[in-house]
Amino acid sequence: MTDETTPDWAHSFGGVAEAYERGRPSYPAEAVQWMLGDQPRRVLELGAGTGKLTRVLVEQGHDVHATDPDREMLAILEDRLPAVRAAVASAEEIPLADGSVDAVIAAQAFHWFDLDRALPEVARVLVAGGRICLVWNQRDEKIPWVRRLGALIGTQEQLRDPAQALIFSELFGFVEEREFSHWQTVDRKTIQDLVLSRSNVAVLDDAGRAAKLAEVLAFYDDYGRGMDGMQLPYVTRCFTATALDRPLDAASTDDDADVATDEPRTRPDGPDDELLIDFR
């Protein structure tokens, strides 16, 4: 497929922002607490979307700077959370100073990043010892009817395991992982919003979206829960890793170490004599 015919799934959400807000699940509070701890932190959220995770971060007292490349998605976040600082920006070009946040978090977004550009940017804005936190809601498709629903609506936004990418970037240390279970109540209306919010459905033409909705509504009606709705089970998978202290610019040598050069983009205030050992 050529660039002209390949669907731009990563930038497909703006036109379905309201459906995304209504149809997508939130994130468990205990998952956020595990990733960030009990103390308030300065948090940069990448790919914040309509603010599904942002709400939980704010409720736990964190100072959040939310970013998203889609202005329409971010507009909903700003309307719902007017006190949160927000900016239209991507993970590849973060509009923050070096060493300015304690944590960078991304929910349901890491798989869209250009990692060669994004990971150095994340490391740049973190303080020494800061952490990257990644989280995905995944439908629990061990359950047969949930697996059937997944076959209908697509799984392309499901987890891409980030551990290898983080470790081999040489910017982050060991990756910790934990899972949390929760449920989302969906009814005949919100299941349609859930479908419409899928990037693979958002890029379809009107006839294609209508056909997909008809399929899912037939599935829902066959399930037989009617107005009572149904409990859609999710597993929330969380990953965290600590940023490693980085050496000075590799182009520097012992002979010219005392010669003034352009200031490297390293985090300030890190201890000069700290020894980090990574047994990778």
Side-chain angles (χ1 to χ4, degrees):
M1 297 178 72
T2 66
D3 290 342
E4 288 75 19
T5 59
T6 301
D8 187 7
W9 289 3
H11 296 89
S12 62
F13 295 106
V16 294
E18 290 289 350
Y20 193 105
E21 171 64 13
R22 293 189 300 264
R24 292 295 184 104
S26 182
Y27 297 87
E30 58 269 29
V32 173
Q33 186 174 30
W34 178 78
M35 289 186 289
L36 294 176
D38 297 326
Q39 299 302 313
R41 297 180 183 271
R42 296 169 298 168
V43 178
L44 167 65
E45 185 181 3
L46 299 173
T50 64
K52 289 288 183 177
L53 177 63
T54 320
R55 292 172 178 82
V56 185
L57 294 170
V58 171
E59 288 168 359
Q60 295 191 11
H62 299 295
D63 177 17
V64 183
H65 191 133
T67 66
D68 195 273
D70 193 298
R71 187 174 300 277
E72 292 175 88
M73 294 281 279
L74 203 62
I76 294 178
L77 184 154
E78 291 175 308
D79 181 65
R80 304 293 198 276
L81 299 166
V84 171
R85 290 166 296 165
V88 176
S90 70
E92 295 77 18
E93 295 184 26
I94 298 173
L96 295 182
D98 294 10
S100 57
V101 294
D102 303 308
V104 175
I105 193 166
Q108 227 76 12
F110 186 74
H111 51 281
W112 299 124
F113 297 170
D114 177 348
L115 299 184
D116 289 339
R117 298 170 59 204
L119 290 180
E121 276 289 272
V122 170
R124 177 183 66 81
V125 301
L126 283 169
V127 299
R131 64 178 61 179
I132 184 172
C133 305
L134 305 170
V135 54
W136 280 265
N137 275 326
Q138 291 185 279
R139 293 182 302 277
D140 188 352
E141 295 193 353
K142 296 190 299 293
I143 300 172
W145 73 264
V146 182
R147 186 163 59 249
R148 182 183 166 197
L149 175 63
L152 286 175
I153 70 176
T155 59
Q156 80 291 339
E157 293 172 20
Q158 299 286 59
L159 173 69
R160 178 175 80 181
D161 192 324
Q164 185 172 356
L166 293 176
I167 292 172
F168 282 94
S169 73
E170 299 187 350
L171 297 168
F172 302 93
F174 296 111
V175 179
E176 298 180 76
E177 177 181 355
R178 188 165 172 184
E179 295 183 355
F180 300 85
S181 297
H182 66 121
W183 302 78
Q184 178 194 20
T185 301
V186 292
D187 57 24
R188 205 172 192 274
K189 171 59 179 170
T190 55
I191 201 170
Q192 294 180 70
D193 289 323
L194 177 63
V195 174
L196 291 172
S197 75
R198 308 293 301 174
S199 58
N200 59 311
V201 176
V203 298
L204 298 176
D205 59 20
D206 290 344
R209 284 193 296 272
K212 182 57 66 178
L213 284 175
E215 281 187 278
V216 173
L217 286 175
F219 164 82
Y220 181 87
D221 292 340
D222 184 58
Y223 187 70
R225 297 302 299 271
M227 295 298 293
D228 293 335
M230 54 188 182
Q231 297 291 311
L232 182 56
Y234 282 90
V235 175
T236 300
R237 294 189 68 187
C238 303
F239 302 81
T240 69
T242 299
L244 300 175
D245 278 357
R246 290 173 292 161
L248 295 177
D249 190 282
S252 299
T253 65
D254 291 339
D255 292 336
D256 62 8
D258 295 329
V259 178
T261 60
D262 290 338
E263 183 177 348
R265 297 177 81 183
T266 56
R267 289 182 299 277
D269 302 326
D272 294 333
D273 58 349
E274 183 175 0
L275 175 63
L276 293 178
I277 301 174
D278 187 354
F279 296 97
R280 286 175 291 180

